[in-house]
Amino acid sequence: MVKTPKGQSPRGGQKMWGGRFLSKPSDIMQAINVSISFDKRMAAQDVSGSKAHSDMLAAQGIITDTDNAAIQVGLDDILAEIKDGTFPYRDEFEDIHLNIEARLTELIGETAGRLHTGRSRNDQVATDFRLWVRDHVDEFDGALSGLQRALLGQAAQTADMLMPGFTHLQVAQPVTFGHHMLAYVEMFARDRARFSDCRGRLNESPLGAAALAGTPYRVNRHMTSDALGFSRPMANSLDAVSARDFAMEALSCASICATHLSRLAEEIVLWTSVQFGFVALSDKFTTGSSIMPQKRNPDAAELVRAKTGRITGAMVALTMVMKGLPLAYSKDMQEDKAPVFEAFDALALALAAMAGMVADMQPNADNMAKAAGDAYSTATDLADWLVRELGLPFRQAHHATGAIVALAESKGKALHELSLEDMQKTLPQIHGGIYDVLSPQKSVASRTSYGGTAPDNVREQVKLWQKRL
Ligand code: ARG
């Protein structure tokens, strides 16, 4: 029996780790130490890890089958409480691991104390967190494919729909709206691939590394690794409890994905403005102004754009937490979870909002077609024609085209509105065939190089993606 000094509870005021402590931590110590308010999000993962660990302890003869059976029943009851919202999360037990162990003790008594044989909270938290990140990375794959399908739905309707393509946000060459949608399908495909690579690397089990050095118990780390769906146990116990690059990598993937969302969001903000008028969003994805009755604001797009700040901020925050930490575990690492939870929540919402907006978008074909012919957007077609038909070197063709654009500008005309005589003033060899390439339709139809914007290419890509998704 532990001797209890008068007026004090044994074990430092009921702390699980309190054997050598005589009095309770200060309130401020408690306040900075406690993590249950956020790490309770890993409750289900913690139960899974404990169930696998307990089964393994029994299989290895480290605990009895009877004790394991009691632990399994208790953990199942706890999982049911977590799911139906009746689990008592308590600050006095610090974190999710100790909360669950304390609850298990209430449910099954002293046997609960056998569960923590051959493990530490250090390998336990690393395991839980990997499981949590893995689960959510899998959800992003589903959300991203939903967004790709929404983009593809637009692309399938708009393979021929003209729009101006921009560089420097200045009208450059005509493209099609379908082609533009497919550009994002490609980007989000790479985001999925990045998350999938990240998943492959993170899917190793730290469980059984114990505090940092491994354990003298004859644990079977392959067994727990398999039970939890990991591909293998991590090979180095120090690395197993110290590594958080899996979380940094997941945040990097999230950050890049958010950047793509932000670019599309910015385009939606521009396109829905009166000045562009390229697409309209319905009442579902816009809001009004409290003072200006005529307004329809693309708030969802703006908020998706803004979430990128939070998500990339989270990546930087975790990187700063990890920078300079000596091996192995340091309590700094308790601060690894909040950035990941925050960023992942933001990304999940941003992906859902973007998929909703993309499906909701009504492209305005007339406005885009008109803008596609603005600003001499087919000047490159003219220059290419001079090279192809008249054999001019491209540089010379570029120069002659510049002169023709200047003439059109001085006359206030579009290129295809200039007369043949006008163009022949610059280059007498030009003939009527030139009018075949000067319209935006002809321009996009001619862009048949692999990956180009020609409507036939776009339709082909739509088909390929429809098969893949
Ligand atoms: N709540 C802790 C965390 O999230 C669990 C690990 C505690 N380990 C320790 N040695 N104090 O990091």
Side-chain angles (χ1 to χ4, degrees):
M1 263 307 278
V2 181
K3 280 238 178 78
T4 308
K6 222 174 158 200
Q8 286 181 344
S9 61
R11 307 197 322 171
Q14 308 304 332
K15 287 287 174 204
M16 296 238 182
W17 38 256
R20 68 170 303 217
F21 290 79
L22 296 179
S23 57
K24 286 171 110 177
S26 78
D27 290 348
I28 199 73
M29 176 66 221
Q30 176 76 9
I32 197 171
N33 203 32
V34 71
S35 59
I36 188 63
S37 64
F38 54 90
D39 65 18
K40 65 177 172 195
R41 290 186 66 171
M42 306 191 304
Q45 288 79 10
D46 196 73
V47 171
S48 303
S50 289
K51 284 174 68 73
H53 183 67
S54 185
D55 276 338
M56 180 279 291
L57 291 176
Q60 297 294 102
I62 299 167
I63 65 172
T64 65
D65 287 339
T66 318
D67 285 344
N68 180 37
I71 289 169
Q72 296 294 340
V73 169
L75 288 171
D76 285 338
D77 291 346
I78 286 172
L79 191 60
E81 290 181 345
I82 290 163
K83 287 197 172 140
D84 68 21
T86 56
F87 183 86
Y89 297 101
R90 289 167 285 188
D91 278 359
E92 73 239 55
F93 297 119
E94 262 180 62
D95 61 18
I96 188 59
H97 324 293
L98 298 180
N99 264 272
I100 287 179
E101 196 180 324
R103 183 71 186 137
L104 189 63
T105 308
E106 287 166 2
L107 294 176
I108 68 168
E110 285 295 301
T111 308
R114 298 202 181 274
L115 172 60
H116 211 54
T117 314
R119 81 170 181 189
S120 150
R121 269 191 294 161
N122 296 350
D123 58 339
Q124 194 178 352
V125 71
T127 304
D128 293 1
F129 197 23
R130 278 176 193 260
L131 291 174
W132 192 94
V133 172
R134 190 180 74 185
D135 289 347
H136 288 80
V137 162
D138 289 346
E139 281 173 25
F140 287 146
D141 191 63
L144 277 163
S145 82
L147 174 54
Q148 285 180 303
R149 279 195 296 274
L151 289 159
L152 197 56
Q154 289 285 356
Q157 313 283 316
T158 56
D160 306 275
M161 194 181 281
L162 294 171
M163 78 178 282
F166 297 88
T167 63
H168 313 265
L169 196 58
Q170 308 289 321
V171 172
Q173 293 175 349
V175 295
T176 70
F177 193 70
H179 197 54
H180 202 111
M181 293 293 101
L182 288 180
Y184 282 103
V185 172
E186 297 285 339
M187 283 185 241
F188 292 122
R190 288 193 297 277
D191 289 335
R192 290 176 71 184
R194 254 185 292 275
F195 273 121
S196 155
D197 285 353
C198 167
R199 188 195 199 281
R201 255 185 299 281
L202 77 75
N203 200 31
E204 293 189 350
S205 174
L207 198 57
L212 75 165
T215 168
Y217 296 100
R218 284 184 45 259
V219 294
N220 182 345
R221 293 191 57 209
H222 289 89
M223 183 178 166
T224 45
S225 171
D226 288 349
L228 294 169
F230 287 115
S231 45
R232 66 189 73 85
M234 292 180 76
N236 182 296
S237 63
L238 290 169
D239 180 43
V241 294
S242 304
R244 292 294 182 273
D245 52 292
F246 71 90
M248 288 190 274
E249 186 175 359
L251 286 176
S252 306
C253 298
S255 169
I256 294 171
C257 177
T259 308
H260 290 157
L261 287 172
S262 180
R263 295 182 75 169
L264 179 52
E266 165 66 5
E267 298 205 298
I268 292 174
V269 171
L270 289 173
W271 292 345
T272 54
S273 68
V274 174
Q275 288 73 14
F276 275 78
F278 286 5
V279 307
L281 288 173
S282 77
D283 294 358
K284 283 203 253 172
F285 285 96
T286 46
T287 60
S289 156
S290 56
I291 175 169
M292 297 166 283
Q294 83 286 9
K295 289 295 291 288
R296 178 188 287 285
N297 296 326
D299 294 39
E302 295 167 82
L303 288 163
V304 167
R305 190 173 59 184
K307 295 284 182 204
T308 313
R310 247 178 218 266
I311 293 167
T312 301
M315 177 189 72
V316 175
L318 179 57
T319 308
M320 289 304 102
V321 167
M322 295 311 296
K323 174 190 169 296
L325 285 191
L327 305 190
Y329 179 83
S330 296
K331 195 60 174 261
D332 309 50
M333 286 155 78
Q334 180 163 283
E335 295 280 316
D336 58 359
K337 288 169 274 300
V340 172
F341 293 161
E342 189 191 3
F344 275 34
D345 287 347
L347 185 61
L349 192 54
L351 283 168
M354 186 53 87
M357 277 188 285
V358 168
D360 187 60
M361 275 185 331
Q362 286 293 336
N364 186 321
D366 292 343
N367 286 353
M368 284 197 283
K370 202 190 146 296
D374 279 352
Y376 314 104
S377 65
T378 54
T380 317
D381 298 88
L382 199 166
D384 287 337
W385 185 89
L386 298 178
V387 170
R388 254 188 352 261
E389 297 292 317
L390 306 184
L392 260 57
F394 182 77
R395 274 292 149 236
Q396 208 177 314
H398 185 284
H399 193 81
T401 305
I404 294 171
V405 166
L407 181 68
E409 201 168 20
S410 72
K411 299 201 159 206
K413 288 183 171 175
L415 288 176
H416 65 272
E417 290 164 359
L418 284 178
S419 68
L420 196 53
E421 298 86 79
D422 277 341
M423 289 192 261
Q424 284 169 339
K425 276 180 210 147
T426 302
L427 214 59
Q429 310 95 294
I430 295 182
H431 59 77
I434 186 67
Y435 291 102
D436 288 347
V437 301
L438 291 183
S439 74
Q441 279 90 346
K442 295 272 166 60
S443 171
V444 295
S446 74
R447 295 284 193 275
T448 52
S449 56
Y450 180 74
T453 193
D456 285 345
N457 281 7
V458 173
R459 271 185 284 274
E460 200 176 309
Q461 286 294 317
V462 165
K463 260 194 222 129
L464 279 176
W465 275 111
Q466 278 167 341
K467 254 184 243 152
R468 271 184 238 167
L469 291 172

